[in-house]
Structures are given as structure tokens and as C-alpha cells.
Amino acid sequence: MPTDPILKPLGESLFVVWRARAVLEFARVSEHRDSLSAEVTVSNAAGTALHWARVNLASTQGRGALIKAVEETEPTDDWRPIIERSCRLVAKHIRTGEPAQPLIAEPPSAVERWAVEGWMPAGQITVLFGDGGAGKSYLALILALSGLLDRAITSRWRMVTLHRVLYLDWETDHASQRVRLWRLTQGLGSTPQDGAILHRTMRRPLRDEIGPIRAECARQGVDFVIADSLAPASGPEPEHADAALSTLLALRSLAVTVLCVAHVSKLQADAKAPARPYGSVHIQNLARSTIEARGSEADDARVSTISLYHRKLNDGHRQPPAAVQLLFDPSGLIRVTSAQPDTGGATLAFQILDALQRGPQKAGQLAEELDVAPATIKKTLQRLEKRDRVLRVGDDDLGRSQERSWGLIDTKRDIKRDSQPTTVPLSSANDDAVPF
């Protein structure tokens, strides 16, 4: 009798390994009422597949037929105990599930916590969304290169070190992505190792292919997955709750850092207000971080700026707006640099604080500059006042008909309420208190 077997999950398959004797793969395991079935492949020690069949693991007749078929291919006396015990091991593993583990308090580790510090949690799903042509797919590929080449994109955007990336592509094809990769690597002056980025052209909803994808991630050691984009990945009705749930839960099952590219509705694309990913509210709820991308072109048509607005973060405070600039060189290469974000896509609170950096202003002046109703400006100023981000400036003896100005508070100095505020850059202010 061979030594005790080892059960190894790999992707969606379960492998029962009998050292120096046999390997049994149990794939596409499913349980319905009184049956627990799987596609079983039995291989000998040399790796030769002896038999493949779908077997009801709980059926004596089903197991017996498998044993008989294997014994006819390679006659030995030990196939019955090997197959019987393997089936029991798999059944026990499936029905027991993941064991409960003690929950022990542990301080956060910056290295383990972030894929991009402050923006993308490691091992979680981040949704990057925006209108078509905003540069989302380019940014996703740039992040992959940042991690594989171990270099920063900008001072605020650097991907954690990566070993292998899987690009799930519902929008373009392999040839198009090869050209994009060439243009970016030429601009960066460096190329990752061959095979570090895997590309998979997708033609069906993710839920129909998640099994082989999980297996490929495990087999190839993938630590970053790009899903481009969410609507086709969700199937023919992406706005429905079940489509969003099944797709995001499938991505979560990969157990690696995932960047999911998504779009916005036409109504939100044309609006100035902060947007949400197109589809069910579950997209916003299940993602651990969401980032809106808005593209803008400079006077030079070769330059494109991607402004990034942090709309949600489950664990921590959201980051102030940032931007990445793409310079499309006539030679074909693309250079990536940092840029100033367009604050017009930021929240009203951020826009007010940004405007007050130039000096104190009245609510009416802010309303005119930001093209927002005066009542909305006043309510936002009052909220910022309660957060000790702004204060009213001027003489207390002003009559009710005369409006006082508002200015920034320097949180690093002790300033009296009626004194002239010291203007400080937003980047040096307490970003935790800014309601982006």
C-alpha cells in the first residue's frame, strides 16, 4: 500500500497525490442533493493519464466503474484502496469547507496592505472607472509595468513589486495589447521579462470561465489581475445585481490584487458631479477602493492627462486628486509623467479648499467661480468649519447684510478665530479631514 496521500487544491481542481505511485485530479466538483460528482483524471507515477471520467464520488457503482477502467489499463492490486480513499478525502474536504480561525488583533503592515499606497489595497478589488477614452486601459498596463519593473510611475503612484500579471481582455485583442505594451516600454526605456504579462482574450462572461482562470493564476503564480472591462465581464445584463455580484465574487475568489476597469453611464459622463461605476450598486459596495478617471487633452493633441479622483476606500482615508500624463511621441512611444489634476472633477469640499489657497473669499465669489448654487457653497463651508478646515474672516461688527469672507486654517499654528488665516497648500494640510 502506498504512503498516505496529500490533498492539494490548485485553482478549482483538487489533486490527491500518492508519492511515487499516482496522482488523481478532481475537477468541476459539484454537489446536488444526494450526489457529489467530479471529473476524475487518474495518472500513474510517470504522469501518464490512465483514465478520465465523470464520477459520482458517493456512489459505490460509480467508484467501482472507475477502478475497473484503471485496472484494465494498468493492472495492479492497489488501485481500489487508492481510488476509494482519494474519493473520501475529496468528499470530506468539500463538505467541511474552510475551517474557522482565531481572529487576533495585529497592527497593519504598509508592505502587506497596499498595492499602490493609499489608493489600491493589496489582495483586494479596486475598480477604476470613467468614460470611454479617459485612458483607463493605458493606466492599468502602466501599473502592471510599474510593479514588474519595480519603478515608480510618479511620486505618488508606485505599484508594489509584482512577479506575474494576467490581463483578462474583453475589449481588445492580443495584437493590440502587444502594440500598447511596446509603446509604453519604449517610453520607459525598460521591458519586463518575457512571460511576465499574460494576456487572455475573453469572449464569454467571467463566471463561465472563472474555473480555468483560477487554475491558471495558481499554476503561473499570478499576483496581479487586470479585468478590462466590467460590463462585458458581467454578461448581457451588467446593470442587474446578480451579474455584478457573480462577477465581483468570482474576481475575489482569485485571492490576488485585482484592478477592474469599468465605465460610467452617459448621464454621469456628461455631468460635473462625482460619478459611480455603471451597473448595480453592488459594484461600489463590494469593491474595496474605487477610483474615477477623467481624461483631458492639452493644447498639444499629443498630450493626454488622466485625472484621478478617489471616490471610496473601505480601510483608511481617501487620497486627494492626482494625475498621470501621457505624451504620445511621433516615433510611436509613450512617455509617462506626473501632472496637475483637474480639480473640476473633485468634490465640492476639495474645490473650495483649493480656491481658498489663493486667499480669503466670500461665499458668493466661490459660488460664481465654481458655478455652484450659493446655498450649496454655504452648507459646504459650514461643514468644513465644523471640521476646523476653514474660518470666517473679518470684523465681528459687520451687519447682517454684509457677508464675511472665508479662509483656510493652518492646522500647524495656533490661530484665533478672528485673525487673518495663513494660507497653506492642501498637500501639507491634514488630508484625513478632507471629505473628498
Side-chain angles (χ1 to χ4, degrees), residues 416-428:
K416 294 182 180 180
R417 279 278 169 179
D418 292 333
S419 63
Q420 185 73 12
T422 301
T423 301
V424 293
L426 289 182
S427 59
S428 65

Side-chain angles (χ1 to χ4, degrees), residues 39-286:
E39 292 181 7
V40 184
T41 303
V42 182
S43 303
N44 60 18
T48 303
L50 304 178
H51 191 68
W52 167 81
R54 184 155 198 94
V55 180
N56 184 351
L57 306 185
S59 167
T60 301
Q61 183 178 356
R63 297 194 305 273
L66 177 62
I67 293 167
K68 182 179 179 181
V70 174
E71 286 178 339
E72 289 177 353
T73 306
E74 187 177 282
T76 60
D77 295 334
D78 56 357
W79 281 120
R80 179 172 292 279
I82 286 174
I83 291 174
E84 289 279 4
R85 190 169 177 188
S86 297
C87 290
R88 286 197 299 273
L89 277 174
V90 170
K92 183 178 179 180
H93 177 84
I94 293 295
R95 288 168 174 166
T96 301
E98 291 290 332
Q101 298 181 10
L103 186 62
I104 301 172
E106 183 176 312
S109 168
V111 175
E112 298 175 354
R113 181 181 175 189
W114 297 111
V116 175
E117 188 170 359
W119 290 85
M120 290 178 55
Q124 304 290 339
I125 297 175
T126 294
V127 174
L128 174 67
F129 67 97
D131 196 12
K136 304 181 295 297
S137 298
Y138 271 115
L139 181 60
L141 203 50
I142 291 167
L143 285 170
L145 289 171
S146 172
L148 293 171
L149 298 174
D150 196 21
R151 57 187 290 183
I153 300 172
T154 69
S155 58
R156 292 177 60 189
W157 279 78
R158 183 187 187 114
M159 191 75 177
V160 70
T161 301
L162 300 174
H163 299 94
R164 185 156 286 134
V165 176
L166 176 60
Y167 200 119
L168 304 176
D169 196 346
W170 281 266
E171 296 209 347
T172 57
D173 54 27
H174 187 260
S176 299
Q177 293 290 7
R178 288 180 64 182
V179 173
R180 282 185 178 180
L181 183 62
W182 179 87
R183 300 182 75 181
L184 289 170
T185 54
Q186 290 297 302
L188 292 169
S190 185
T191 304
Q193 183 179 356
D194 288 348
I197 301 179
L198 304 173
H199 179 272
R200 185 180 178 120
T201 301
M202 305 292 292
R203 294 185 174 86
R204 298 192 297 164
L206 178 65
R207 60 179 172 267
D208 295 338
E209 298 196 41
I210 190 60
I213 290 170
R214 263 199 296 264
E216 190 160 27
C217 284
R219 185 171 57 252
Q220 299 281 2
V222 170
D223 46 7
F224 182 46
V225 170
I226 299 168
D228 189 4
S229 63
L230 185 58
S234 301
E237 298 179 326
E239 69 280 4
H240 287 190
D242 58 346
L245 284 169
S246 63
T247 304
L248 289 173
L249 288 175
L251 288 171
R252 184 181 174 187
S253 73
L254 298 176
V256 299
T257 304
V258 175
L259 181 64
C260 188
V261 178
H263 294 90
V264 296
S265 66
K266 184 180 185 305
L267 182 64
Q268 291 196 331
D270 295 338
K272 293 182 179 180
R276 286 193 172 197
Y278 173 74
S280 167
V281 69
H282 291 296
I283 299 170
Q284 181 83 0
N285 293 341
L286 290 181

Side-chain angles (χ1 to χ4, degrees), residues 321-337:
V324 174
Q325 190 173 83
L326 307 181
L327 172 61
F328 294 82
D329 192 87
S331 65
L333 62 83
I334 299 175
R335 301 188 189 278
V336 183
T337 62

